[in-house]
Amino acid sequence: MTTSRQTVRTVAALTALACVLAGCSSTDDGGGEAGSEAGGTYTIWDPYPQFDNSSDWVKLLTRCGTDAGVTVERTGYDTTDLTNKALLAAQQDNSPDVLIVDNPVVSTLADAGVLTTTDEVKVDTSAVSPNLLAAGQIGGKTYGIPIGANTLALYYNKKVLAAAKVDAASVKDWATLTAALAKVKAAGKKGITFSAIGTEEGSFQFLPWYWGSGANLTQLDSPQAVSALTLWTDWLKQGYAPNSVLNNTQTTSWQEFATGDFAFSENGTWQLANAKKTGFEYGIIPIPSSVGGTAPAPTGGEFVTAPVQSQTGRYAVSEKLIACLTSADNALTTDTTLSYIAATDAVQQKQVAENPELKVWVEAVKAAKGRTSDDLGTKYPKISQPLWTAFQAALSGSASPQDALKTAQSSAAR
């Protein structure tokens, strides 16, 4: 569902005008009493339907409301459903006071005129890592604050690498990773598994290699981009990665790694709990860029935003709720619950102090970037789909990497 900024505002204005002419009464459904800065009910929508009222997350929301002197009414939706409901609510001038959405959605909602800027609501973003905040920035304005982030790295099976006489610390760039995969195959084991499915999930997994080549999303057929796709296609040709990657989701890719046969798995922080259940010793290293160093991986995770309200006096309490949800103490608890890396350096240090295993993930997040960063905003989906179509074509052998990406660039430029 796509709505222009002007459409949302026009529909909201017409709705308000109709209410005035019909003598409508004010209710809490659309935002409570006009100009209210304390008391009443404030609504929060989030994408965590798995958490019920007994969860730490919902208890935090309730506590933040109590601290702000209001009652919080919370609803959890599936991610896709949440976006659609947020757009519809904005048209009806019935938006929640606080909206927590997946970071690529922020640009869509901002472009549709659904969200306020952090300047309007006076949300302090000064402590947030700039690379994480960038996912919520369009046209020089910021439309929310990240609650935390997850990203991708390489899990490895210590036993498989030991059998192949590979030291994980030797993997520094694409050449050393490919050399490690060759040794693993020679030792009779399987190399690397990942998700190259023809959806956003596949693009998410391709981006560390794409960005790690030095390629930019505005030029899908650059020599750097071709080198990234050639890396993946060569791994399949050499038998270092299985053909199943074409249909793998990140979950099924993980299930392959969990068999104990693979040396490496590209996956995220959300698999840490499952890693402990595999029954074998594992380690984690950052995804390397082509020439060395940590590749920029895409950030997952949500932004806390404040939708536009016709009763602007409500923003003062919304700011208090957002400040509470993203405060250092609360962020530490929340990010632990969600398996996220915090958005600020201070909380990241606390996370590593409590769990040294998170050090590699903090490094990965520091190098990461938002998919809608570089001011791509709503252009990103129009780039991502041609990109996943391209790597599907190349990996299946129906087109060369260069031809597949040339077609992708033509499609994205339309």
Side-chain angles (χ1 to χ4, degrees):
M1 179 176 178
T2 305
T3 310
S4 71
R5 180 187 299 266
Q6 188 62 45
T7 299
V8 168
R9 288 177 174 165
T10 300
V11 172
L14 290 173
T15 302
L17 177 60
C19 235
V20 170
L21 295 175
C24 299
S25 62
S26 176
T27 71
D28 281 342
D29 291 341
E33 297 174 5
S36 173
E37 294 188 5
T41 299
Y42 280 68
T43 52
I44 298 179
W45 291 359
D46 67 50
Y48 313 129
Q50 69 271 31
F51 296 132
D52 61 22
N53 290 342
S54 66
S55 67
D56 289 340
W57 168 248
V58 178
K59 288 177 181 177
L60 171 61
L61 297 181
T62 301
R63 188 169 72 250
C64 286
T66 299
D67 291 348
V70 300
T71 299
V72 163
E73 184 179 283
R74 174 261 181 177
T75 307
Y77 295 102
D78 289 330
T79 298
T80 301
D81 196 28
L82 179 58
T83 304
N84 293 333
K85 287 187 181 299
L87 287 164
L88 180 61
Q91 290 180 358
Q92 298 171 341
D93 193 22
N94 193 31
S95 293
D97 294 285
V98 175
L99 177 65
I100 303 169
V101 290
D102 195 17
N103 73 72
V105 176
V106 174
S107 60
T108 299
L109 297 180
D111 187 65
V114 174
L115 304 179
T116 64
T117 67
T118 53
D119 285 344
E120 288 176 89
V121 186
K122 299 180 173 57
V123 172
D124 183 9
T125 63
S126 60
V128 178
S129 300
N131 66 317
L132 300 183
L133 193 62
Q137 294 176 322
I138 305 100
K141 296 181 179 179
T142 304
Y143 291 90
I145 182 169
I147 202 166
N150 55 33
T151 193
L152 298 165
L154 293 179
Y155 289 84
Y156 64 88
N157 185 318
K158 292 185 177 182
K159 185 176 180 180
V160 171
L161 290 191
K165 296 181 171 53
V166 172
D167 179 1
S170 69
V171 176
K172 300 291 187 183
D173 51 27
W174 290 1
T176 50
L177 175 56
T178 301
L181 296 176
K183 290 182 180 180
V184 168
K185 183 186 177 186
K189 292 291 185 179
K190 298 176 181 179
I192 186 168
T193 180
F194 49 88
S195 170
I197 194 169
T199 67
E200 177 58 28
E201 205 165 352
S203 289
F204 189 80
Q205 289 240 318
F206 184 54
L207 283 174
W209 313 99
Y210 185 91
W211 283 331
S213 72
N216 189 296
L217 285 172
T218 58
Q219 190 62 43
L220 296 180
D221 57 351
S222 69
Q224 295 89 343
V226 172
S227 72
L229 187 47
T230 299
L231 179 75
W232 266 19
T233 54
D234 283 352
W235 283 351
L236 262 68
K237 289 176 183 176
Q238 297 296 328
Y240 301 157
N243 289 327
S244 58
V245 300
L246 277 157
N247 298 309
N248 270 348
T249 63
Q250 293 180 107
T251 298
T252 56
S253 170
W254 179 262
Q255 290 167 348
E256 287 181 334
F257 179 67
T259 64
D261 294 332
F262 282 85
F264 295 96
S265 170
E266 179 185 355
N267 231 296
T269 47
W270 54 88
Q271 296 293 4
L272 274 172
N274 288 328
K276 293 176 172 62
K277 301 175 183 176
T278 59
F280 56 79
E281 288 190 80
Y282 69 92
I284 307 166
I285 57 173
I287 296 173
S289 68
S290 60
V291 296
T294 301
T299 55
E302 286 77 40
F303 266 60
V304 188
T305 68
V308 172
Q309 304 290 336
S310 56
Q311 299 165 3
T312 57
R314 299 181 69 83
Y315 293 155
V317 170
S318 296
E319 186 278 328
K320 291 179 182 178
L321 294 174
I322 294 171
C324 178
L325 292 175
T326 57
S327 70
D329 290 340
N330 291 335
L332 180 60
T333 302
T334 299
D335 290 334
T336 301
T337 299
L338 298 174
S339 294
Y340 284 169
I341 298 302
T344 65
D345 183 68
V347 182
Q348 288 172 0
Q349 290 180 30
K350 290 182 180 179
Q351 287 182 300
V352 174
E354 290 188 3
N355 183 2
E357 188 180 35
L358 293 179
K359 185 174 186 296
V360 66
W361 292 109
V362 169
E363 292 175 3
V365 164
K366 285 183 181 296
K369 62 190 294 185
R371 284 161 279 176
T372 58
S373 296
D374 301 326
D375 218 26
L376 287 179
T378 55
K379 297 176 186 175
Y380 174 74
K382 300 172 186 176
I383 295 169
S384 179
Q385 186 167 354
L387 185 62
W388 80 57
T389 302
F391 61 66
Q392 280 266 304
L395 293 173
S396 66
S398 64
S400 68
Q402 186 166 9
D403 288 345
L405 288 169
K406 185 176 180 180
T407 299
Q409 177 59 28
S410 297
S411 179
R414 288 175 190 158

